Amino acid sequence: MITVHHLETSRSLRIVWLLEELGIEYTLRRYARNAAGLAPASLRAVHPLGKAPILSDGDLVLAESGAIIEYVLDTYGNGRLQPSPGTEERREYTYWMHYAEGSLMPFLVMGLVFDRIDRAPWPVRPLARAISGRVRRGYLQPGLERNAEWVERSLAERAWFAGEDFTAADIQMSTPLEALSVRDDVGVPIPCIERFLQRIHARPAYRRAVQRIEAEPKV
């Protein structure tokens, strides 16, 4: 049976959600973050990098959300949650599957890093904030806003990222858009993103995934 190694408040929610959408049985192991907010060392016993999500299936141990999604769909999907090869929808699907982690997520991770820099100990805080502010104004905020505008424009033209049908690309894109929606340094309106998030939150499989995670004791 598939086992999902899930770290609280991490990108691994989307793997649990994917399995719920497909109706696949799985075991869930939920890990708590340590005092520093990082993954516990016990995850390194599962995969050398010790980062979630991790999926195990028999002797296979696989990390990285995109690779896990591809494996699950190739092995258990029976053509579900991805457009047919050779179609325009499939090209859009492939683009957004890679864009989520390749283009958008780095800006969001950088934002988290600079949020922590701004909370540096008092003796160095003024200097840290001065450096942080310059990077935010010159690089981080413009990058976030360009990406937000691009996603907004794309969602304004279609119901889902790959067309009129919900696909795994929407699952992959959910995590960075959740993170984007709660930042206060995105100075552009994001109504299409907010509507997208409302739609995914209303999906029964998404709700089951959240409930399954919340009910699982932490290890």
Side-chain angles (χ1 to χ4, degrees):
M1 180 181 289
I2 287 175
T3 298
V4 179
H5 299 269
H6 167 76
L7 179 64
E8 60 183 354
T9 61
S10 79
R11 308 176 201 186
S12 47
L13 164 61
R14 54 190 172 192
I15 304 303
V16 182
W17 175 21
L18 171 69
L19 296 175
E20 291 288 345
E21 290 280 356
L22 294 171
I24 298 172
E25 292 186 6
Y26 61 94
T27 298
L28 181 65
R29 290 181 62 82
R30 180 186 178 196
Y31 296 79
R33 292 182 180 272
N34 61 25
L38 303 175
S42 55
L43 266 178
R44 289 200 296 273
V46 184
H47 187 279
L49 293 181
K51 296 175 62 178
I54 302 170
L55 179 141
S56 57
D57 189 11
D59 294 332
L60 174 72
V61 177
L62 189 61
E64 293 295 336
S65 297
I68 293 171
I69 291 172
E70 288 190 20
Y71 168 77
V72 170
L73 293 181
D74 288 347
T75 308
Y76 301 102
N78 295 318
R80 292 174 291 172
L81 296 185
Q82 53 185 337
S84 300
T87 61
E88 177 62 25
E89 289 80 8
R90 184 58 173 257
R91 287 188 286 274
E92 290 287 336
Y93 168 89
T94 300
Y95 171 78
W96 293 108
M97 285 289 292
H98 289 274
Y99 168 87
E101 294 291 333
S103 293
L104 181 53
M105 203 66 193
F107 282 104
L108 296 163
V109 172
M110 186 180 299
L112 291 175
V113 170
F114 280 103
D115 289 346
R116 292 195 174 192
I117 289 175
D118 287 345
R119 297 192 296 270
W122 167 248
V124 298
R125 188 178 301 165
L127 177 59
R129 287 187 172 179
I131 296 171
S132 169
R134 292 189 64 179
V135 176
R136 287 180 187 275
R137 291 188 299 272
Y139 179 75
L140 180 57
Q141 186 169 359
L144 281 171
E145 292 179 356
R146 281 195 303 271
N147 278 272
E149 289 169 340
W150 167 232
V151 174
E152 276 289 307
R153 210 159 51 239
S154 301
L155 284 176
E157 298 172 353
R158 56 179 71 94
W160 300 103
F161 278 100
E164 296 306 309
D165 295 324
F166 175 83
T167 70
D170 301 296
I171 295 176
Q172 179 77 332
M173 282 293 296
S174 66
T175 300
L177 293 187
E178 293 275 16
L180 181 72
S181 70
V182 298
R183 293 203 62 84
D184 58 8
D185 52 358
V186 180
V188 296
I190 53 170
C192 294
I193 291 172
E194 290 171 346
R195 285 194 295 270
F196 170 83
L197 293 174
Q198 290 170 359
R199 289 201 304 274
I200 65 172
H201 294 163
R203 293 185 69 84
Y206 179 92
R207 293 181 176 181
R208 290 196 302 271
V210 172
Q211 292 167 358
R212 176 76 182 267
I213 289 169
E214 290 177 347
E216 189 70 23
K218 298 175 186 177
V219 298

